[in-house]
Amino acid sequence: MSTAFPLPTDISSTTVANTASLLRIVAFGLISGAAIASRLFAVINFESIIHEFDPWFNYRATRVLAAKGFYEFWNWFDPTAWYPLGRVVGGTVYPGLMATSGVIYNFLHYFNLPVDIRNICVLLAPGFSALTAWATYMFTTEMKDSSAGLLAAAFIGIVPGYISRSVAGSYDNEAIAIFLLMITFYLWIKALKLGSALFGTLAAVFYFYMVAAWGGYAFITNMIPVHALVLLLMGRFSSRLYVAYCSWYAIGTLSSMQVPFVGFQPVRTSEHMGALGVFGLLQIVAFASLVRSHVSSKQFQNLLAISVVTMGVLGAGAFVVMTYKGWIAPWTGRFYSLWDTGYAKKYIPIIASVSEHQPTAWPSFFMDLQLLIFLFPAGVVMCFRDLRDEHVFVIIYAVVASYFAGVMVRLMLTLTPVVCVSAAVALSTLLDTYVDASEPDVPEERTEANGSSASDGKKTKKAGAAVGSQAGASAAAAASSAISDLVSASKSNAQSRQKGIWGADARLVILLNAIGMLVFFVFHCTWVTSNAYSSPSVVLASTNPDGSQHIIDDYREAYYWLRQNTPQDAVVMSWWDYGYQIAGMADRVTLVDNNTWNNTHIATVGKAMSSPEEVAYPILRKHDVDYVLVIFGGLLGYSGDDINKFLWMVRIAQGVWPDEIQEPNYFTPQGEYRVDDRASETMRNSLMYKMSYYRFSELYGGGNALDRVRNQQIPKVGPTLDYLEEAFTTENWIVRIYKVRKEDPLGRDLKTANAFAQGKKRKRGKPVSRRRAIV
Amino acid sequence: MAAPHTPFLNPGKSASSTGDSVLVILEPAKKAEYSIFLAGLEKKGYSVTLRAPKEEQPLVIEDGVPNFSHVMLLASDTKNFAKDINPQSLVQLLSLGTNLVLTLGLKQNLLTSLAPEFSLLLPPPATPLVSFFPERSDSPTVIPIDVSSQSIPNDTFSVLSSQVNGKVWFSGTPFALNSNPLVFPILHAPVESFAADLSDGSGLVSDALADASEKGGEGLWAGSSLAVVAGFQTLIGGGTGHGADAGPGEDQQARAVWVGGASLFTDEFANKKVVEKVVQERGMKVVENPSGNKQAALEIAGWAFQERGVLRIDEVTHHKVNQTGPVEMYTTNDEIVYTIRISSFNPLTKKWEPYSGLKDLQLEFTMLDPHIRTSLPPVSGKPGTYSTTFRAPDRHGVFKFAISHKRKGFTHLHHTLSVPVVPPRHDGYPRFLSAAWPYYAGAISTSVGFLLFCVIYIAGEAKEEKKSKKE
């Protein structure tokens, strides 16, 4: 036997195992540290603040939960949201996230650690990312070995695709959902491997937690049945599969129905029918195999053929009938939009208007996954080589998640774990192959050239799990040669090979290359995290000419103004994007918010925004609106403002009032969307346009008022407002708040009243004759 | 729960519910012509301040706060006023809660341009009301108007009480009223009267009538649909019941009275006798009655100064049936008791007294649209209390108890109170449903079956083992 480099031979295998175990723990600690630390950019660059939109609701709900207890939270009716409809929060929320924070909060307070609930919320996502890394490690270990597991853990710890939804302050359902997803999958694989009802039940328990935490639980609800079905079709039915699936499905479904928001959906909606169908199919197959053990094979063949056909026809027929009768809810719009990316734009503009529901752009795959995106197919191919039950799972997961990630940006999140797992399998195979110090014994014999690097990898894996983990650790911690030596130490019993790698230099080239790529990956992840994914979006950052950071804090300025200067029960109307923030930061009543459950109500707001003042005013009064808030980026060049979202408001309003609001009216005759003096009449009269550009040209003192987002000149004579009055405009004009004027004391319409107040004289009237003129 | 609100000014010495100070804008030279009326005001307890139209002091509004509770513009023929008296400032006075009495002249002045804002349609300048009936020795522009034949704005209240005897002398401009629910006529013009320019002989009158009759009466200010005195109740308080609009806001409500001619308030008309021919058995007898002007002038001003027809909401309470004390939120289908206490101002005792006289008070339970609209009858035995019981709709949301009582002559009563109606709590639903027996039976039978199976399985195991051993 020859080795490419000298290996110590005097180390006992116990020492090797112990050292490997220690290194694994150290590596895992470092991975957790890295995962948490890289998510803290948001806190360091800005402050400990809740990010974006939805997290503000979760934070507010968590505060209620922490202050009033779980039962009050469950029965919480929020009269300040969706005014005047109100929102039954307890029944329309996935409580898992809030409950988790509540438990942590109560736990810490029980031990007299007075941690602020906000800090728990801010730091929950980074904390759970460490758990995700652990779950991914366990999952990947089941796939290959613990070295691949450590690699996968390191990848998921720092990959931007996951960080984007789990930076500190991004207090959203996804923060804990990815951990739950991975742990459920791990437990399912474990249950399947062992045929263990215990692990099946554990999977069901975590499935329940997942159902309570995220609407994306439907992904698990369909992934596991598809896996089971594929195994069935591959002829891999076994009692292990039966036990694992049935214990998971029965307990998981029953417990998931305990979540108020889910209720009877698992037995009534189409999305859940697959799981039920596979459950039924498994019973049939199990029964069939029981029958087979009792009757002759010829009889059985006939019996099977007949019963399969009958069952299939009956099952499909029942499904169609029940869907038709309405016992099973038809597919929802969100579901259709998964198959037809143009569907939402045509029929449900409210879904299409959300940026994270748009199809993914190609560069974002590289941005979010970098190196992993091209290791990913290699890893999937590796799974085909060994095609055990769990590998089938990864293959299905990879295919399904790739498709969904291409359809919707936000589903990139579900793709990320499988990419990390596959890439880790691929990379650890590579490292296993090249770190292995054994050289082929007989270089001359090349006739039986069967072994490839991949099979090498497999063999090394079988040689001992400790070795693999060493390799993984070395990769994760940018392996030093000392570790490589240690790794090779246990490889004394290397087998003979006809084909392979000779010499340390060839190995070194590949390994350095791989390590170099990993280093670049780390740099890329850190850069993307700190620059792209750590902005709270409540606070904006820009750079001064001298390079220092300038914080634009208009949102909070406006929300605090509302909080300090308006009555507690004042109703604030804004586009729904800002509903949660107003409720969370300004603590005022809102008309619509990010929980877009009532399309008509949103369309009402859209109509008010896109109508002329005199049409909008009765709507505002009917809904008791005291203030209207708009986001305007024209002064600063902030492109996420309401004028850019305006067409969505028009479209959504048009969906409900097609006679009154028509999208083409908001374009110029040439079909351009303009805000300058060529803007259409309807556009210039709309409330949104008026509120955005009210007194904007005065800011330029008669000069050229330039909208920096749309790069258009605003007319010198700006819009006038009769029914609203400006109440507050923030420093950079990003948020503008208008007060709705009360009715005129003399009962005139406010336009006339305003004209009178400005001294305009009215035309003289004549008394109306009560008789008709006799001709 | 609305706490009893106390934004009202304490009743002072005067008969008004809103304040004692009156500013009368009047040419100093003409002060003597109004002595009876002004003395009447002071007798009622008002402190009257006189100000010439062109005088700069005292200001009507100083630093955004009105200086007087009531302003009376008797300088009807003045063309130019001081800077602070203009149509805009008069409207601002109203919105600040100051009551106005405005008298129109024959010439154009600031009131001519202000009148359309109150939905009054004035005839062209210098066209006074003319009537040749009844036959009398006076000029046709000096007209006696019968008060008793006037229509009353509503069945419970009239501005001119029965104390105004006989006829009221009027001379000045009439006006037609647009369909504005806030304005109502206090004194109509006589049926035979019309507006015309008589300045250069009576020949033109017939021309004007003839021209108008060719057009079917279009453009002619004529008949009893014209008013010579009109009342106007401002609308403040019609808010959302939310935020800045919370509370009733009656304290801001003001009244304005438009009078076609300032002469209605003069001593001359107050002392002028009304000559009437009374038909007797033997021929006609000429009777000289005193005019009702003195009393009418005080009552018209009195209504404007919020002496009569002034209502306020003292307290609003609501609770569940068979419970006392307020609740934060109701559950759907709760039985709710709503109670409101209303007072009216008594100008004689100068005190607020419980008022049970409203027969048509309604309560709405509103979320966007009224889900429930029910009458709110007075409770017998409890003066001033109105109460009703109703069932909350089977619909959750933020509902408002809304009272909106707007009757001509009365202060508007407007009150809204938001209360959430929530679905039942998780343990508020019935625990045991008889309709669910099939499911209960299924669950119980499965449990029992499983238990039996276990027992049989465990009990039978030994046998089975023996058998297999034998084999």
Side-chain angles (χ1 to χ4, degrees):
Chain A
M1 192 206 81
S2 67
T3 54
F5 41 87
L7 295 171
T9 48
D10 53 346
I11 302 172
S12 73
S13 60
T14 336
T15 317
V16 171
N18 285 346
T19 319
S21 159
L22 175 69
L23 280 173
R24 214 161 36 227
I25 291 167
V26 170
F28 197 78
L30 289 173
I31 288 169
S32 301
I36 294 172
S38 68
R39 282 164 172 80
L40 296 183
F41 273 117
V43 173
I44 292 159
N45 286 352
F46 296 93
E47 60 189 283
S48 172
I49 185 182
I50 304 290
H51 288 197
E52 294 195 314
F53 306 106
D54 285 19
W56 277 100
F57 169 75
N58 298 329
Y59 170 52
R60 186 160 154 257
T62 309
R63 273 194 313 198
V64 171
L65 179 68
K68 293 185 180 167
F70 189 75
Y71 280 104
E72 284 309 308
F73 175 70
W74 186 1
N75 287 300
W76 183 25
F77 177 83
D78 186 2
T80 65
W82 293 90
Y83 183 87
L85 306 174
R87 177 179 175 194
V88 186
V89 179
T92 58
V93 80
Y94 290 106
L97 183 72
M98 299 95 187
T100 308
S101 306
V103 167
I104 295 173
Y105 177 80
N106 287 326
F107 177 80
L108 292 176
H109 278 242
Y110 180 77
F111 290 104
N112 295 320
L113 292 166
V115 180
D116 185 15
I117 187 79
R118 179 176 54 99
N119 287 325
I120 292 174
C121 294
V122 166
L123 296 176
L124 189 75
F128 264 83
S129 72
L131 289 175
T132 310
W134 173 74
T136 312
Y137 165 77
M138 298 300 278
F139 182 81
T140 317
T141 307
E142 292 301 316
M143 292 301 138
K144 186 169 173 285
D145 52 27
S146 55
S147 70
L150 276 178
L151 265 181
F155 288 155
I156 195 97
I158 57 169
V159 69
Y162 175 41
I163 283 191
S164 66
R165 308 307 299 253
S166 64
V167 291
S170 179
Y171 181 55
D172 212 346
N173 293 332
E174 288 91 334
I176 62 171
I178 296 302
F179 161 65
L180 296 172
L181 185 81
M182 289 318 287
I183 194 80
T184 311
F185 283 159
Y186 161 69
L187 289 168
W188 159 248
I189 294 297
K190 197 80 185 165
L192 183 64
K193 268 185 164 176
L194 300 176
S196 154
L198 173 69
F199 278 103
T201 310
L202 279 177
V205 168
F206 278 96
Y207 172 69
F208 164 64
Y209 192 2
M210 175 77 176
V211 173
W214 192 35
Y217 74 88
F219 186 64
I220 300 182
T221 319
N222 287 301
M223 262 308 296
I224 292 179
V226 166
H227 183 212
L229 184 68
V230 169
L231 289 181
L232 269 184
L233 293 178
M234 289 169 78
R236 293 194 182 187
F237 173 78
S238 63
S239 56
R240 287 181 291 112
L241 174 65
Y242 182 81
V243 169
Y245 189 83
C246 291
S247 52
W248 168 77
Y249 180 76
I251 297 171
T253 306
L254 283 177
S255 54
S256 72
M257 287 165 76
Q258 308 309 312
V259 178
F261 191 26
V262 177
F264 278 89
Q265 280 182 35
V267 290
R268 297 202 56 163
T269 58
S270 306
E271 285 94 328
H272 298 78
M273 282 302 125
L276 183 62
V278 170
F279 180 65
L281 195 65
L282 273 178
Q283 310 307 319
I284 295 165
V285 172
F287 181 70
S289 62
L290 181 77
V291 170
R292 180 156 63 174
S293 63
H294 290 272
V295 298
S296 74
S297 76
K298 176 69 185 153
Q299 283 171 312
F300 181 75
Q301 291 292 333
N302 295 335
L303 206 62
L304 186 72
I306 295 165
S307 57
V308 161
V309 169
T310 322
M311 292 286 186
V313 169
L314 280 181
F319 184 73
V320 169
V321 167
M322 285 168 84
T323 308
Y324 184 71
K325 285 266 182 185
W327 293 326
I328 302 174
W331 307 102
T332 58
R334 271 174 221 266
F335 183 81
Y336 280 125
S337 60
L338 281 181
W339 309 111
D340 176 7
T341 48
Y343 180 86
K345 202 164 184 176
K346 258 181 277 172
Y347 300 104
I348 16 176
I350 198 148
I351 291 178
S353 73
V354 181
S355 62
E356 61 183 26
H357 290 164
Q358 306 298 330
T360 316
W362 285 113
S364 72
F365 279 99
F366 186 77
M367 166 107 164
D368 280 356
L369 303 167
Q370 214 241 5
L371 155 76
L372 306 182
I373 196 66
F374 52 85
L375 285 177
F376 166 53
V380 176
V381 171
M382 299 283 171
C383 289
F384 271 107
R385 295 189 163 264
D386 202 2
L387 213 60
R388 291 198 306 270
D389 288 354
E390 60 266 32
H391 295 129
V392 175
F393 184 81
V394 171
I395 292 162
I396 299 167
Y397 186 3
V399 172
V400 173
S402 303
Y403 173 77
F404 287 143
V407 172
M408 250 189 217
V409 176
R410 71 187 294 192
L411 292 180
M412 186 68 106
L413 192 64
T414 51
L415 175 67
T416 306
V418 75
V419 168
C420 291
V421 170
S422 301
V425 169
L427 194 69
S428 88
T429 310
L430 180 88
L431 291 175
D432 284 350
T433 312
Y434 283 92
V435 169
D436 181 7
S438 58
E439 285 190 329
D441 279 335
V442 194
E444 291 78 19
E445 285 178 33
R446 293 187 184 181
T447 46
E448 295 172 48
N450 287 329
S452 73
S453 60
S455 65
D456 278 0
K458 244 161 49 190
K459 281 169 195 162
T460 44
K461 179 192 73 206
K462 279 169 190 162
V467 185
S469 75
Q470 296 292 344
S474 61
S480 68
S481 61
I483 293 174
S484 307
D485 290 350
L486 254 179
V487 167
S488 317
S490 60
K491 299 293 297 165
S492 49
N493 59 341
Q495 296 106 339
S496 63
R497 291 196 179 83
Q498 281 75 38
K499 194 178 173 185
I501 313 138
W502 282 270
D505 48 353
R507 289 180 165 79
L508 210 59
V509 168
I510 300 291
L511 289 178
L512 281 180
N513 196 7
I515 290 165
M517 290 208 304
L518 289 174
V519 169
F520 277 120
F521 175 68
V522 170
F523 276 115
H524 172 83
C525 291
T526 315
W527 181 83
V528 169
T529 306
S530 70
N531 282 294
Y533 290 139
S534 291
S535 166
S537 95
V538 176
V539 183
L540 309 168
S542 72
T543 320
N544 285 332
D546 62 356
S548 61
Q549 199 184 37
H550 177 64
I551 297 288
I552 297 164
D553 208 356
D554 280 35
Y555 281 102
R556 285 194 295 179
E557 187 188 349
Y559 296 142
Y560 288 164
W561 182 87
L562 278 175
R563 202 188 181 99
Q564 303 288 340
N565 295 285
T566 62
Q568 178 89 50
D569 54 355
V571 179
V572 182
M573 183 178 96
S574 69
W575 190 234
W576 60 262
D577 298 23
Y578 313 104
Y580 279 162
Q581 290 187 348
I582 293 171
M585 281 186 260
D587 192 22
R588 291 295 173 265
V589 183
T590 55
L591 244 57
V592 292
D593 62 33
N594 311 46
N595 174 256
T596 51
W597 67 276
N598 189 326
N599 187 37
T600 316
H601 217 54
I602 290 179
T604 308
V605 173
K607 187 187 174 191
M609 292 290 196
S610 45
S611 301
E613 264 187 288
E614 54 270 21
V615 179
Y617 187 66
I619 301 175
L620 299 182
R621 292 306 280 182
K622 188 177 180 188
H623 291 82
D624 298 341
V625 176
D626 296 305
Y627 294 91
V628 184
L629 180 147
V630 291
I631 307 296
F632 174 65
L635 183 68
L636 213 62
Y638 172 61
S639 61
D641 69 351
D642 276 349
I643 288 282
N644 275 1
K645 292 175 186 169
F646 187 42
L647 283 178
W648 287 111
M649 304 181 199
V650 172
R651 274 175 211 148
I652 290 166
Q654 186 182 6
V656 178
W657 291 279
D659 297 337
E660 295 171 61
I661 308 283
Q662 275 115 22
E663 193 185 340
N665 296 343
Y666 295 84
F667 291 100
T668 60
Q670 289 77 41
E672 289 168 292
Y673 182 62
R674 298 197 75 91
V675 294
D676 57 7
D677 48 3
R678 280 159 57 199
S680 73
E681 191 68 24
T682 321
M683 178 76 190
R684 264 183 288 148
N685 283 331
S686 67
L687 198 63
M688 175 54 74
Y689 180 89
K690 284 187 166 188
M691 287 193 292
S692 290
Y693 294 107
Y694 183 63
R695 299 186 63 195
F696 182 61
S697 54
E698 285 176 35
L699 195 66
Y700 290 82
N704 291 328
L706 181 73
D707 182 325
R708 291 203 200 166
V709 175
R710 289 150 285 268
N711 275 321
Q712 292 171 21
Q713 299 280 345
I714 303 306
K716 273 181 190 160
V717 182
T720 54
L721 284 169
D722 287 318
Y723 293 83
L724 302 170
E725 57 194 359
E726 188 177 0
F728 185 70
T729 296
T730 54
E731 187 187 350
N732 299 300
W733 284 49
I734 287 184
V735 186
R736 309 196 70 186
I737 300 171
Y738 291 85
K739 191 178 192 316
V740 180
R741 292 183 58 187
K742 283 187 271 185
E743 270 98 0
D744 178 59
L746 303 185
R748 304 164 293 182
D749 65 283
L750 287 169
K751 199 170 187 170
T752 324
N754 248 12
F756 168 74
Q758 284 158 12
K760 283 178 193 149
K761 286 205 174 147
R762 210 198 273 222
K763 253 172 62 183
R764 289 181 76 91
K766 278 186 177 179
V768 188
S769 172
R770 295 194 186 167
R771 287 160 297 180
R772 294 183 67 190
I774 304 156
V775 183
Chain B
M1 258 324 278
H5 37 69
T6 53
F8 303 100
L9 295 169
N10 287 327
K13 294 173 290 171
S14 71
S16 163
S17 63
T18 60
D20 303 336
S21 54
V22 183
L23 177 72
V24 178
I25 296 169
L26 182 63
E27 297 286 357
K30 292 192 174 171
K31 191 193 167 190
E33 291 179 22
Y34 298 93
S35 60
I36 295 178
F37 172 69
L38 294 176
L41 280 185
E42 277 178 346
K43 196 181 160 202
K44 273 181 160 183
Y46 291 101
S47 59
V48 179
T49 311
L50 287 176
R51 177 182 158 186
K54 287 190 182 141
E55 227 174 273
E56 297 289 338
Q57 293 290 334
L59 290 171
V60 285
I61 303 174
E62 206 167 346
D63 303 330
V65 179
N67 271 335
F68 298 93
S69 306
H70 321 285
V71 172
M72 216 170 158
L73 210 81
L74 286 178
S76 57
D77 291 327
T78 311
K79 179 86 179 149
N80 297 313
F81 287 84
K83 255 190 291 177
D84 68 319
I85 299 172
N86 54 47
Q88 282 74 23
S89 73
L90 290 177
V91 171
Q92 197 193 347
L93 271 179
L94 272 182
S95 56
L96 290 171
T98 302
N99 304 306
L100 296 181
V101 175
L102 304 167
T103 56
L104 288 162
L106 288 179
K107 295 176 196 158
Q108 264 193 313
N109 64 2
L110 64 91
L111 294 184
T112 326
S113 56
L114 182 62
E117 306 301 322
F118 288 79
S119 304
L120 305 184
L121 297 174
L122 299 188
T127 49
L129 188 69
V130 174
S131 175
F132 295 101
F133 300 93
E135 189 187 346
R136 59 192 187 278
S137 57
D138 304 298
S139 147
T141 59
V142 177
I143 303 161
I145 300 173
D146 194 359
V147 174
S148 56
S149 69
Q150 296 290 319
S151 64
I152 296 167
N154 65 59
D155 55 353
T156 55
F157 185 81
S158 89
V159 173
L160 295 175
S161 69
S162 54
Q163 289 177 343
V164 182
N165 293 317
K167 298 190 170 177
V168 172
W169 285 107
F170 174 80
S171 169
T173 319
F175 34 80
L177 304 177
N178 259 343
S179 57
N180 184 340
L182 302 176
V183 67
F184 66 98
I186 292 176
L187 203 56
H188 288 281
V191 182
E192 313 87 354
S193 63
F194 54 93
D197 187 3
L198 285 183
S199 52
D200 45 348
S202 55
L204 285 171
V205 173
S206 55
D207 285 357
L209 280 177
D211 289 351
S213 67
E214 272 174 19
K215 289 188 239 162
E218 212 183 310
L220 183 69
W221 272 258
S224 63
S225 64
L226 296 185
V228 297
V229 179
F232 193 99
Q233 173 86 49
T234 63
L235 193 64
I236 297 181
T240 56
H242 256 273
D245 284 358
E250 283 95 332
D251 53 327
Q252 290 280 305
Q253 282 190 35
R255 289 173 176 178
V257 165
W258 285 82
V259 183
S263 53
L264 191 138
F265 298 96
T266 53
D267 298 357
E268 184 198 347
F269 279 11
N271 295 327
K272 190 176 169 76
K273 302 284 189 230
V274 181
V275 181
E276 275 179 298
K277 288 173 184 161
V278 181
V279 182
Q280 285 187 328
E281 280 176 38
R282 278 180 292 167
M284 310 273 266
K285 188 191 170 193
V286 176
V287 184
E288 284 203 345
N289 288 328
S291 75
N293 276 50
K294 185 184 168 190
Q295 184 66 24
L298 283 176
E299 287 193 0
I300 287 167
W303 183 83
F305 296 169
Q306 306 212 22
E307 289 176 11
R308 299 176 57 236
V310 184
L311 302 174
R312 77 170 187 201
I313 298 170
D314 287 333
E315 190 187 13
V316 172
T317 56
H318 58 90
H319 56 86
K320 281 188 207 171
V321 166
N322 302 328
Q323 285 184 13
T324 50
V327 283
E328 242 174 59
M329 47 182 65
Y330 290 100
T331 309
T332 50
N333 296 323
D334 272 355
E335 295 282 333
I336 303 175
V337 180
Y338 179 89
T339 310
I340 188 167
R341 288 204 295 112
I342 292 172
S343 301
S344 96
F345 186 74
N346 187 337
L348 300 174
T349 59
K350 295 163 191 172
K351 274 182 187 147
W352 291 93
E353 292 169 355
Y355 184 70
S356 290
L358 300 177
K359 306 291 179 220
D360 51 358
L361 200 58
Q362 286 190 334
L363 170 70
E364 285 178 0
F365 200 51
T366 306
M367 184 179 73
L368 292 180
D369 301 308
H371 282 58
I372 284 167
R373 182 184 283 143
T374 177
S375 71
L376 198 55
V379 181
S380 59
K382 285 185 188 169
T385 306
Y386 301 77
S387 182
T388 190
T389 302
F390 63 93
R391 201 181 76 163
D394 191 9
R395 174 90 176 80
H396 58 76
V398 181
F399 283 82
K400 284 190 293 186
F401 294 106
I403 297 279
S404 184
H405 183 264
K406 290 173 182 162
R407 297 293 180 274
K408 287 170 180 177
F410 281 115
T411 322
H412 297 159
L413 291 179
H414 189 94
H415 188 269
T416 56
L417 190 59
S418 298
V419 62
V421 174
V422 305
R425 288 177 65 88
H426 68 281
D427 52 359
Y429 294 95
R431 265 277 175 234
F432 201 82
L433 301 172
S434 56
W437 259 113
Y439 302 99
Y440 299 144
I444 292 167
S445 64
T446 310
S447 310
V448 170
F450 180 69
L451 211 68
L452 280 177
F453 173 78
C454 290
V455 168
I456 291 167
Y457 188 79
I458 293 166
E461 199 174 13
K463 242 188 197 173
E464 198 82 20
E465 235 170 87
K466 277 176 196 167
K467 259 187 190 175
S468 59
K469 272 182 186 173
K470 276 176 194 170
E471 282 164 14

